[in-house]
Amino acid sequence: MNKIVSLTNVTKSFQHKTAVNDVSFTIGKGEVVAILGPNGAGKTTTISMILGLLKPTAGEVQLFDHQPHEKQVREKIGTMLQEVSVMPGLKVREILELIRSYYPKPLPIQQLIELTGLTEQDMKTMAEKLSGGQKRRLSFALALAGNPELIIFDEPTVGMDITSRNRFWETIHHLAEQGKTIIFSTHYLQEADDAAGRILLFKDGAIVADGTPSQIKARISKQSVSFIVDPELPLEKLFLHSEIDDIYRKNNRVYIQSSNTDRVLELLFQEKIGARDIQIERGKLEEAFEQLTSGAKEAI
Amino acid sequence: MKIFQMQCKYEIIRILRNRYFVFWSLVMPILFYYIFTNVVNTNAPDKAEWQAHYLMSMTVFSVMGSSMMTLGIRMVQERSQGWSTFIRITPLSDTVYFAAQMIGQSVIHLLSIIIIFIAGALINGVSLTALEWTLSGLWILLGSLPFLAIGTLVGSMKKVETAAGVSNVIYMVLAIAGGLWMPLEIMPKVMQSIGKWLPSYNFGNGAWEIIRGNMPDWRNILILIAYLALFMLLSKYIRRKQEAV
Ligand SMILES: Nc1ncnc2c1ncn2[C@@H]1O[C@H](COP(=O)(O)OP(=O)(O)O)[C@@H](O)[C@H]1O
Ligand SMILES: [Mg+2]
């Protein structure tokens, strides 16, 4: 495998907070990878370290087998940051010309227009007068200006309307077909599922799952058995069974999560806890995702 | 090299499009010049010398202001709007970026000097020898270095409003106390002795000497170099502290 990005035991601590905790992964040429996780999971921090904007507290980041800040690396990457920014005092076309001049083999302006949906009107507008949508398009064009091999986006679709969003993913798809390596972060499972070939699922600064969307979905959408039971009854003993992944109460019902619901039923009768109104539920994917990433399991 | 040229070109375009620059660095000094050499009667013993003297004062005033304010405020703007962060991910090196800003700024200064000098020649028929024009212009161009360093200090502030406010106050204090608006000689003794140590006075005095057929004082040169070193060290120290995250 042709390694493009590699993180080895990377940790980033701020004064009071470890934002990324001992993360390791490698990304090969042509992969489209989603960094998926809720707000505060450490996505931006991880991306900032990949881009060389933040220095890891421990561990190592390599891009194309070099340090992220080396010039030869910078010539091969393009990026769109979470906070979109523009250079005041210049028109869109001028900014594009300027940034293109930094790279050895930039994309022609015409191609940037086609890829990003910038209009002729946009091109003549002064940067400080751009609307949110126009800024996003400019920012996208700036990411592609140097014809990068590795493209990194931090929450790219936040603030885009449906049309621009669709157009954006279309372009990403097109770029992926050309063999570009693409990394993007998102907190929408749907987006990661649709656009990525691989998902790195982040929670509290660590990777909790790494796989194809279908693998991840299989992992997080667990089946559960739910029932009504005397609220005074302690349920700790059920935890002793390794087949049970999680137990929680919701709306007066107890939910037992497991990939093997048959076994759970067996256990319920075996332990004689007096469960009533037993149902087997196949969890909704989005719900399961939320539950997995929202942290605090409800204490039993 | 191509990168450097492009960067310089666009830095210059950006400054020229900045209305504050055009107002503070061109309109104001020329207006002041007109008022204090034609409208207000200053009772100068040698009228021609006063007209040349005040032309130097106003050119110095213009270049000093754009060194501190235009540069400083733009740096804060670029940082607060995240542009500096984006630039760090591109192959543009910090050195080229910084050098282009300085060169762009200097080209703008050269332009301001020429425009204000021409204004002086047109308004009052100020006539200096070719050598005097050239030397005073060069002096003002080079003497702006300590003020560019102040600009980078202003540029390390967090908010545009603070940067604009603070630099404006420093600008006015330096201009008045350094004798750019009225000669130091007509100020109280205390003010005079303080003024002589300010970078603005030493900047102005070099040019005032040149139009009187002298060379700038060694004292002027040494004091300006000392200020340049001081502000550069300070700027470097602050940058180092800010980067330590
Ligand atoms: N500069 C910083 N100083 C202190 N804490 C930070 C800083 N940057 C991020 N954090 C914290 O680190 C955690 C991860 O943040 P971030 O990487 O921005 O998450 P995400 O992009 O996934 O929403 C958050 O709890 C955030 O508050
Ligand atoms: Mg983020």
Coordinates of all heavy atoms in Angstrom, one line a residue, chain A residues 141-201:
Chain A
A141 N -12.4 26.2 -4.1 CA -11.5 26.4 -5.2 C -10.1 26.5 -4.7 O -9.2 26.1 -5.4 CB -12.0 27.6 -6.0
L142 N -9.9 27.2 -3.6 CA -8.5 27.4 -3.1 C -7.9 26.1 -2.7 O -6.7 25.8 -2.9 CB -8.6 28.3 -1.9 CG -8.9 29.8 -2.2 CD1 -9.0 30.6 -0.9 CD2 -7.8 30.4 -3.1
A143 N -8.8 25.2 -2.2 CA -8.3 23.8 -1.8 C -7.8 23.1 -3.0 O -6.8 22.3 -2.9 CB -9.4 23.1 -1.1
L144 N -8.5 23.3 -4.1 CA -8.1 22.5 -5.3 C -7.1 23.2 -6.2 O -6.6 22.7 -7.2 CB -9.4 22.3 -6.2 CG -10.5 21.5 -5.4 CD1 -11.7 21.3 -6.4 CD2 -10.0 20.2 -4.9
A145 N -6.8 24.5 -5.9 CA -6.0 25.4 -6.8 C -4.7 24.7 -7.2 O -4.2 24.8 -8.3 CB -5.7 26.7 -6.1
G146 N -4.0 24.0 -6.3 CA -2.7 23.5 -6.6 C -2.7 22.1 -7.2 O -1.7 21.4 -7.2
N147 N -3.9 21.6 -7.6 CA -4.1 20.3 -8.1 C -3.5 19.2 -7.1 O -2.6 18.5 -7.5 CB -3.4 20.1 -9.5 CG -3.9 18.8 -10.1 OD1 -4.9 18.2 -9.7 ND2 -3.2 18.5 -11.2
P148 N -4.0 19.2 -5.9 CA -3.4 18.4 -4.8 C -3.6 16.9 -5.0 O -4.6 16.5 -5.6 CB -4.1 18.9 -3.6 CG -5.4 19.4 -4.0 CD -5.2 20.0 -5.4
E149 N -2.7 16.1 -4.4 CA -2.9 14.7 -4.4 C -3.7 14.3 -3.2 O -4.4 13.3 -3.2 CB -1.6 14.0 -4.3 CG -0.8 14.1 -5.6 CD 0.6 13.4 -5.5 OE1 0.7 12.4 -4.8 OE2 1.5 14.0 -6.0
L150 N -3.5 15.0 -2.1 CA -4.2 14.8 -0.9 C -5.1 16.0 -0.5 O -4.6 17.1 -0.5 CB -3.3 14.5 0.3 CG -3.8 14.5 1.7 CD1 -4.8 13.3 1.9 CD2 -2.7 14.4 2.7
I151 N -6.4 15.7 -0.3 CA -7.3 16.9 -0.1 C -8.0 16.6 1.3 O -8.5 15.5 1.6 CB -8.4 17.0 -1.2 CG1 -7.8 16.8 -2.5 CG2 -9.1 18.3 -1.1 CD1 -8.8 16.8 -3.7
I152 N -7.9 17.7 2.1 CA -8.4 17.5 3.5 C -9.5 18.6 3.8 O -9.2 19.8 3.5 CB -7.3 17.6 4.5 CG1 -6.2 16.6 4.2 CG2 -7.8 17.5 5.9 CD1 -5.0 16.6 5.1
F153 N -10.7 18.2 4.2 CA -11.8 19.1 4.5 C -12.2 18.9 5.9 O -12.5 17.8 6.3 CB -13.0 18.8 3.6 CG -12.7 18.9 2.1 CD1 -12.6 17.7 1.4 CD2 -12.6 20.1 1.5 CE1 -12.4 17.8 0.0 CE2 -12.3 20.1 0.1 CZ -12.2 19.0 -0.6
D154 N -12.3 20.0 6.6 CA -12.9 19.9 8.0 C -14.3 20.4 8.0 O -14.6 21.6 7.7 CB -12.1 20.8 8.9 CG -12.3 20.5 10.4 OD1 -13.1 19.5 10.7 OD2 -11.8 21.1 11.3
E155 N -15.3 19.5 8.2 CA -16.7 19.8 8.2 C -17.1 20.6 7.0 O -17.6 21.8 7.1 CB -17.1 20.6 9.5 CG -16.7 19.9 10.7 CD -17.8 19.3 11.5 OE1 -19.0 19.3 11.1 OE2 -17.5 18.7 12.6
P156 N -16.9 20.1 5.8 CA -17.0 20.9 4.5 C -18.4 21.4 4.2 O -18.6 22.4 3.7 CB -16.5 20.0 3.4 CG -16.7 18.6 4.0 CD -16.4 18.7 5.4
T157 N -19.4 20.6 4.6 CA -20.8 21.0 4.2 C -21.6 21.8 5.2 O -22.7 22.2 4.9 CB -21.6 19.7 3.9 OG1 -21.6 18.9 5.1 CG2 -21.0 18.9 2.8
V158 N -20.9 22.2 6.3 CA -21.6 23.0 7.3 C -21.9 24.4 6.6 O -21.0 25.0 6.0 CB -20.8 23.2 8.5 CG1 -21.4 24.3 9.4 CG2 -20.7 21.9 9.3
G159 N -23.1 24.8 6.6 CA -23.5 26.1 6.0 C -23.7 26.1 4.5 O -23.9 27.1 3.9
M160 N -23.7 24.9 3.9 CA -24.0 24.8 2.5 C -25.5 24.5 2.3 O -26.1 23.7 3.1 CB -23.3 23.7 1.8 CG -21.8 24.0 1.5 SD -21.2 22.6 0.5 CE -19.5 23.0 0.5
D161 N -26.1 25.1 1.3 CA -27.5 24.6 1.0 C -27.5 23.3 0.3 O -26.4 22.8 -0.1 CB -28.3 25.7 0.2 CG -27.6 26.0 -1.1 OD1 -26.9 25.1 -1.6 OD2 -27.7 27.2 -1.5
I162 N -28.7 22.7 0.1 CA -28.8 21.4 -0.5 C -28.1 21.3 -1.9 O -27.3 20.4 -2.1 CB -30.3 21.0 -0.7 CG1 -31.0 21.0 0.7 CG2 -30.4 19.6 -1.3 CD1 -30.7 19.8 1.5
T163 N -28.3 22.3 -2.7 CA -27.8 22.3 -4.0 C -26.2 22.3 -4.0 O -25.6 21.4 -4.7 CB -28.2 23.5 -4.8 OG1 -29.5 23.9 -4.4 CG2 -28.1 23.3 -6.3
S164 N -25.7 23.2 -3.2 CA -24.2 23.2 -3.2 C -23.7 21.9 -2.5 O -22.6 21.4 -2.9 CB -23.7 24.4 -2.3 OG -24.6 25.3 -2.1
R165 N -24.4 21.4 -1.6 CA -24.0 20.2 -0.9 C -23.9 19.0 -1.9 O -22.9 18.3 -2.0 CB -25.0 19.8 0.2 CG -24.5 19.1 1.3 CD -25.6 19.0 2.3 NE -25.5 20.1 3.3 CZ -25.7 20.0 4.6 NH1 -25.9 18.8 5.1 NH2 -25.6 21.0 5.4
N166 N -24.9 18.9 -2.7 CA -24.9 17.8 -3.7 C -23.8 18.0 -4.7 O -23.1 17.1 -5.1 CB -26.3 17.8 -4.5 CG -27.4 17.3 -3.6 OD1 -27.1 16.7 -2.6 ND2 -28.6 17.6 -4.0
R167 N -23.7 19.3 -5.2 CA -22.6 19.6 -6.1 C -21.2 19.3 -5.5 O -20.4 18.7 -6.2 CB -22.7 21.0 -6.5 CG -21.7 21.4 -7.5 CD -21.7 22.7 -8.0 NE -20.8 22.8 -9.1 CZ -21.0 23.0 -10.3 NH1 -22.3 23.3 -10.7 NH2 -20.1 23.0 -11.2
F168 N -21.1 19.6 -4.2 CA -19.8 19.3 -3.6 C -19.5 17.8 -3.6 O -18.4 17.4 -3.9 CB -19.9 19.9 -2.1 CG -18.7 19.5 -1.3 CD1 -17.5 20.3 -1.4 CD2 -18.7 18.5 -0.4 CE1 -16.4 20.0 -0.7 CE2 -17.5 18.2 0.3 CZ -16.4 18.9 0.2
W169 N -20.5 17.0 -3.2 CA -20.2 15.6 -3.1 C -20.0 15.0 -4.5 O -19.2 14.1 -4.7 CB -21.3 14.8 -2.4 CG -21.3 15.2 -0.9 CD1 -22.3 15.7 -0.2 CD2 -20.2 15.0 0.0 NE1 -21.9 15.9 1.1 CE2 -20.6 15.4 1.3 CE3 -18.9 14.4 -0.1 CZ2 -19.8 15.4 2.4 CZ3 -18.1 14.4 1.0 CH2 -18.6 14.9 2.3
E170 N -20.6 15.6 -5.5 CA -20.4 15.1 -6.9 C -19.0 15.4 -7.3 O -18.3 14.5 -7.8 CB -21.3 16.0 -7.8 CG -22.0 15.2 -8.9 CD -23.1 16.2 -9.5 OE1 -22.6 16.9 -10.4 OE2 -24.2 16.2 -9.0
T171 N -18.5 16.5 -6.9 CA -17.1 16.9 -7.3 C -16.1 16.0 -6.5 O -15.1 15.5 -7.1 CB -16.8 18.4 -6.9 OG1 -17.8 19.2 -7.5 CG2 -15.4 18.7 -7.4
I172 N -16.4 15.7 -5.2 CA -15.6 14.8 -4.5 C -15.5 13.5 -5.1 O -14.4 12.9 -5.2 CB -16.1 14.7 -3.0 CG1 -16.0 16.1 -2.3 CG2 -15.4 13.6 -2.2 CD1 -14.6 16.6 -2.2
H173 N -16.6 13.0 -5.5 CA -16.7 11.7 -6.2 C -15.8 11.7 -7.4 O -15.0 10.8 -7.6 CB -18.2 11.4 -6.6 CG -18.4 10.1 -7.0 ND1 -18.4 9.0 -6.2 CD2 -18.7 9.5 -8.3 CE1 -18.6 7.9 -6.8 NE2 -18.8 8.2 -8.1
H174 N -15.9 12.7 -8.2 CA -15.2 12.9 -9.4 C -13.7 12.9 -9.1 O -12.9 12.2 -9.8 CB -15.6 14.2 -10.0 CG -14.9 14.6 -11.3 ND1 -15.0 14.0 -12.5 CD2 -14.0 15.6 -11.5 CE1 -14.3 14.5 -13.4 NE2 -13.6 15.5 -12.8
L175 N -13.3 13.6 -8.0 CA -11.9 13.7 -7.7 C -11.4 12.3 -7.2 O -10.2 11.9 -7.4 CB -11.7 14.7 -6.5 CG -11.9 16.2 -7.0 CD1 -12.0 17.1 -5.8 CD2 -10.8 16.6 -7.9
A176 N -12.2 11.6 -6.5 CA -11.9 10.3 -6.0 C -11.6 9.4 -7.1 O -10.7 8.5 -7.1 CB -13.0 9.7 -5.1
E177 N -12.4 9.5 -8.2 CA -12.2 8.7 -9.4 C -10.9 8.9 -10.0 O -10.3 8.1 -10.7 CB -13.3 8.9 -10.4 CG -14.6 8.1 -10.1 CD -15.7 8.5 -11.0 OE1 -15.6 9.5 -11.8 OE2 -16.7 7.7 -11.0
Q178 N -10.4 10.2 -9.9 CA -9.1 10.5 -10.5 C -7.9 10.0 -9.6 O -6.8 10.2 -9.9 CB -8.9 12.0 -10.6 CG -9.8 12.7 -11.6 CD -9.6 14.2 -11.5 OE1 -8.8 14.7 -10.8 NE2 -10.5 14.9 -12.3
G179 N -8.3 9.3 -8.5 CA -7.2 8.7 -7.7 C -6.7 9.6 -6.6 O -5.7 9.3 -5.9
K180 N -7.4 10.7 -6.3 CA -7.0 11.6 -5.2 C -7.3 10.9 -3.9 O -8.3 10.2 -3.7 CB -7.8 12.9 -5.3 CG -7.8 13.6 -6.6 CD -6.6 14.4 -6.8 CE -6.7 15.3 -8.0 NZ -5.4 15.7 -8.5
T181 N -6.5 11.2 -2.9 CA -6.8 10.8 -1.5 C -7.5 11.9 -0.8 O -7.2 13.0 -0.9 CB -5.4 10.5 -0.8 OG1 -4.6 9.7 -1.6 CG2 -5.7 9.9 0.5
I182 N -8.7 11.5 -0.2 CA -9.5 12.5 0.4 C -9.9 12.2 1.8 O -10.2 11.1 2.1 CB -10.8 12.7 -0.5 CG1 -10.5 13.1 -1.9 CG2 -11.8 13.6 0.2 CD1 -11.6 12.9 -2.9
I183 N -9.7 13.2 2.7 CA -10.1 13.0 4.1 C -11.0 14.1 4.4 O -10.8 15.3 4.1 CB -8.8 13.2 5.0 CG1 -7.8 12.2 4.6 CG2 -9.2 13.0 6.5 CD1 -6.5 12.3 5.4
F184 N -12.2 13.8 5.0 CA -13.1 14.8 5.4 C -13.7 14.5 6.8 O -13.8 13.3 7.1 CB -14.2 15.1 4.4 CG -15.2 14.0 4.2 CD1 -16.4 14.0 5.0 CD2 -15.0 13.0 3.3 CE1 -17.3 12.9 4.8 CE2 -15.9 11.9 3.2 CZ -17.0 11.9 3.9
S185 N -14.0 15.5 7.5 CA -14.6 15.3 8.8 C -16.1 15.6 8.8 O -16.5 16.5 8.0 CB -13.9 16.1 9.9 OG -14.3 17.4 9.8
T186 N -16.9 15.0 9.6 CA -18.3 15.3 9.6 C -18.9 14.8 10.9 O -18.3 13.9 11.5 CB -19.0 14.7 8.4 OG1 -20.4 15.0 8.5 CG2 -18.9 13.2 8.4
H187 N -20.1 15.3 11.3 CA -20.7 14.7 12.4 C -22.0 14.0 11.9 O -22.9 13.7 12.7 CB -20.9 15.7 13.6 CG -21.6 16.9 13.2 ND1 -21.0 18.1 12.9 CD2 -22.9 17.2 13.2 CE1 -21.8 19.0 12.6 NE2 -23.1 18.6 12.8
Y188 N -22.2 13.9 10.6 CA -23.4 13.2 10.1 C -23.0 11.8 9.6 O -22.2 11.7 8.7 CB -24.0 14.0 8.9 CG -24.5 15.3 9.2 CD1 -24.0 16.5 8.6 CD2 -25.5 15.5 10.1 CE1 -24.4 17.7 8.9 CE2 -26.0 16.8 10.4 CZ -25.5 17.9 9.8 OH -25.9 19.1 10.1
L189 N -23.6 10.8 10.2 CA -23.3 9.5 9.8 C -23.7 9.3 8.3 O -23.0 8.7 7.5 CB -24.1 8.5 10.6 CG -24.1 7.0 10.2 CD1 -22.7 6.5 10.4 CD2 -25.0 6.2 11.1
Q190 N -24.8 9.9 7.9 CA -25.3 9.7 6.6 C -24.3 10.2 5.5 O -24.0 9.5 4.6 CB -26.6 10.6 6.4 CG -27.3 10.4 5.1 CD -27.8 9.0 5.0 OE1 -28.3 8.4 5.9 NE2 -27.6 8.4 3.8
E191 N -23.7 11.3 5.8 CA -22.7 11.9 4.9 C -21.5 11.0 4.8 O -21.0 10.7 3.7 CB -22.2 13.2 5.4 CG -22.3 14.3 4.4 CD -22.0 15.7 5.1 OE1 -21.1 15.8 5.9 OE2 -22.8 16.6 4.8
A192 N -21.0 10.5 5.9 CA -19.9 9.6 5.9 C -20.2 8.3 5.1 O -19.4 7.8 4.3 CB -19.5 9.2 7.3
D193 N -21.4 7.8 5.4 CA -21.9 6.6 4.7 C -21.9 6.8 3.2 O -21.5 5.9 2.4 CB -23.2 6.2 5.3 CG -23.8 4.9 4.8 OD1 -23.0 4.1 4.2 OD2 -25.0 4.7 4.9
D194 N -22.5 7.9 2.8 CA -22.6 8.1 1.3 C -21.3 8.3 0.6 O -21.1 7.9 -0.5 CB -23.5 9.4 1.1 CG -25.0 9.1 1.5 OD1 -25.3 8.0 1.6 OD2 -25.7 10.1 1.6
A195 N -20.4 9.1 1.2 CA -19.3 9.6 0.5 C -18.0 8.8 0.7 O -17.1 8.9 -0.1 CB -19.1 11.1 0.8
A196 N -17.8 8.2 1.9 CA -16.5 7.6 2.2 C -16.5 6.1 2.0 O -17.5 5.4 2.0 CB -16.2 7.9 3.7
G197 N -15.3 5.6 1.7 CA -15.0 4.2 1.6 C -14.6 3.6 2.9 O -14.5 2.4 3.1
R198 N -14.2 4.6 3.8 CA -13.8 4.1 5.1 C -14.1 5.2 6.1 O -14.1 6.4 5.8 CB -12.2 3.9 5.0 CG -11.6 3.6 6.4 CD -10.1 3.5 6.1 NE -9.4 3.4 7.4 CZ -8.0 3.6 7.4 NH1 -7.4 3.9 6.4 NH2 -7.4 3.6 8.6
I199 N -14.5 4.7 7.3 CA -14.9 5.7 8.4 C -14.0 5.5 9.6 O -13.8 4.3 10.0 CB -16.4 5.5 8.8 CG1 -17.3 5.8 7.6 CG2 -16.7 6.3 10.0 CD1 -18.8 5.6 7.9
L200 N -13.4 6.6 10.1 CA -12.7 6.5 11.4 C -13.7 7.2 12.3 O -14.0 8.3 12.3 CB -11.4 7.3 11.3 CG -10.4 6.9 10.3 CD1 -9.2 7.9 10.3 CD2 -9.8 5.5 10.7
L201 N -14.2 6.3 13.2 CA -15.2 6.9 14.2 C -14.5 7.4 15.4 O -13.8 6.6 16.1 CB -16.2 5.8 14.5 CG -17.4 6.2 15.4 CD1 -18.2 7.3 14.7 CD2 -18.3 5.0 15.7

